[in-house]
Amino acid sequence: MRLDHVAESFGEWEEETRGLLGELASVGVEHILHAPHAESAAVKDVEAHLGLPVLPGPMAVLTHAAILVARWSERPPELVHAFGWSASASALVARRVLGLGAPVVVTLHGLPRWHAPGALLAWLERWVVEEAELVTSASTRLRERWQALGAGEGRVVVIPLLRGVDLVRFHGESAARLGGALRSALGLRGARFVVGAYVGSASDLAALQPWLERSQRERGAWRWLVETPSRALKDAVEAMAGGAAVVVGPDQALDDVALADASDAYLAMDGSAQVARGLAAAAMRVPVVGLACAAGWPQVEHLGHVGVEGEALWLGLNSLERAGREREILGARARDWVRRYATPDEARGLLISCYTRVTSSSEAAVPGGGGSGRPGRRELL
């Protein structure tokens, strides 16, 4: 079988699918990647790669769709998996133009970030989720959004992290030493309670702002350890939090194991980067408090969540500060959930199950799509 991946960038695709290609090859799948590659020299390691021009969102949709039409008219795929909004729209437009029967799976971790009229973005969201055979998403809240937009029951599957979490990296005394050393290096050794967070966008900053400000007013001994890939966001967090936060910016290349272990609790929000860091914290037995079950975890009591939004989130953080032994128990439960549901083998098996489902002739919904989001694993036919 031929599977075509369409991605918005090679780097993001590589992060999402790490370790997947070997398993696909083992079940006889021929894989081809269509993605812009200017930002990554590692593309030479992907044998079947066809480049796409680097363009902004709306322009990329039409240009990439035209390129895919030309390629697929000569050699049509049997299954397509698109990563991100513009790649998904391009793949679906190309399929519609050619009248292909190949099912399309799309992975959507958030809202489109294009500069376009709101009505156009709303139409695009609805069209993509209605047109695709199956949507994968990192969060239960996003699953509910896609279902409300037209992705029927059983057509949205929550996969917290497509590449999974390698628990071997997040284990043992060496990892704990890294976290302790980082706390000392960042001036957090004497902090009574450190809350980790990630700010990757302006919307992340807006979501975190009330908690930063409230912790300054009401919990003076709290400290925040905030990671961000942007210097502008780093400056904004520092200005907002004052002395309540230590902000790790793009010029500080720090180990994700150490960052996970340096916190006493972790606040996760929607988006693949948020989920990845929340799972890393859980793997280090750090209790994770999430906004509306942000990491797609089906039951908060299984994960160490003690509050999910609004006042409940604030009370949850307060209870974690006082928890002591209970905090250790909650952290152990979080790691156990990762072990059962988010290892690389589990994530890849779930994705391959999704591929199998959409390429079969059955009309049944994907098992677990409307509930836990975890269909049973099957071999790709």
Side-chain angles (χ1 to χ4, degrees):
M1 189 183 84
R2 170 175 160 168
L3 165 64
D4 282 35
H5 280 170
V6 183
E8 295 180 355
S9 78
F10 176 79
E12 290 183 10
W13 169 86
E14 186 180 37
E15 276 291 301
E16 292 273 19
T17 60
R18 190 180 301 158
L20 175 64
L21 297 189
E23 186 151 352
L24 290 174
S26 71
V27 293
V29 175
E30 177 190 3
H31 172 263
I32 294 176
L33 168 67
H34 308 264
H37 56 82
E39 72 279 14
S40 178
V43 72
K44 65 180 184 298
D45 296 328
V46 181
E47 292 183 6
H49 171 265
L50 299 173
L52 295 170
V54 179
L55 295 167
M59 190 180 300
V61 171
L62 296 178
T63 304
H64 293 174
I67 294 171
L68 292 173
V69 166
R71 292 173 181 172
W72 290 349
S73 63
E74 295 182 359
R75 195 179 180 196
E78 296 171 86
L79 171 64
V80 176
H81 186 173
F83 299 81
W85 283 102
S86 99
S88 297
S90 298
L92 290 166
V93 167
R95 181 180 69 166
R96 174 67 71 90
V97 169
L98 293 170
L100 298 178
V104 176
V105 175
V106 300
T107 291
L108 305 172
H109 289 318
L111 304 180
R113 297 181 181 178
W114 302 342
H115 297 291
L120 175 61
L121 290 181
W123 175 86
L124 174 70
E125 275 190 80
R126 184 175 296 277
W127 184 77
V128 167
V129 299
E130 287 180 345
E131 192 79 3
E133 274 67 28
L134 188 141
V135 181
T136 79
S137 184
S139 104
T140 52
R141 182 161 66 177
L142 288 174
R143 178 180 65 195
E144 292 166 2
R145 181 182 180 88
W146 309 147
Q147 287 177 334
L149 285 175
E153 187 75 12
R155 285 182 45 229
V156 185
V157 175
V158 175
I159 307 178
L161 195 64
L162 288 181
R163 68 176 181 269
V165 178
D166 181 4
L167 284 173
V168 174
R169 295 188 62 242
F170 297 92
H171 179 65
E173 294 182 2
S174 59
R177 285 196 297 270
L178 284 172
L182 179 59
R183 283 179 77 133
S184 294
L186 296 176
L188 294 170
R189 171 62 75 181
R192 189 175 72 204
F193 188 63
V194 177
V195 182
Y198 178 83
V199 173
S201 65
S203 60
D204 289 348
L205 182 63
L208 188 62
Q209 181 174 358
W211 313 119
L212 289 174
E213 294 175 347
R214 190 167 178 179
S215 63
Q216 287 190 81
R217 294 194 306 269
E218 301 180 25
R219 310 300 299 180
W222 282 18
R223 300 292 299 281
W224 289 83
L225 175 56
V226 180
E227 181 190 1
T228 179
S230 160
R231 288 184 176 83
L233 288 172
K234 180 178 186 291
D235 293 343
V237 174
E238 288 175 338
M240 187 181 296
V246 172
V247 188
V248 176
D251 53 341
Q252 296 168 276
L254 298 176
D255 188 275
D256 57 346
V257 177
L259 282 167
D261 191 57
S263 301
D264 298 307
Y266 201 91
L267 171 63
M269 295 176 278
D270 279 325
S272 57
Q274 296 280 355
V275 170
R277 283 154 180 84
L279 289 175
M284 288 301 297
R285 298 183 175 86
V286 175
V288 179
V289 176
L291 295 175
C293 296
W297 298 329
Q299 299 182 56
V300 296
E301 64 268 23
H302 289 172
L303 302 168
H305 283 238
V306 288
V308 293
E309 57 186 333
E311 189 66 18
L313 185 148
W314 182 252
L315 294 173
L317 287 173
N318 275 274
S319 67
L320 281 175
E321 180 191 7
R322 300 188 301 267
R325 173 60 180 158
E326 182 185 358
R327 192 161 72 205
E328 295 179 13
I329 295 172
L330 292 170
R333 288 180 182 172
R335 180 180 169 90
D336 183 62
W337 189 92
V338 173
R339 179 187 60 78
R340 288 184 289 145
Y341 300 124
T343 62
D345 283 347
E346 181 69 22
R348 289 193 295 266
L350 177 53
L351 182 58
I352 288 176
S353 294
C354 293
Y355 289 166
T356 299
R357 190 59 186 168
V358 298
T359 54
S360 73
S361 58
S362 171
E363 295 293 327
V366 175
S372 69
R374 295 193 299 274
R377 179 169 184 168
R378 301 175 186 171
E379 293 305 315
L380 189 62
L381 300 177

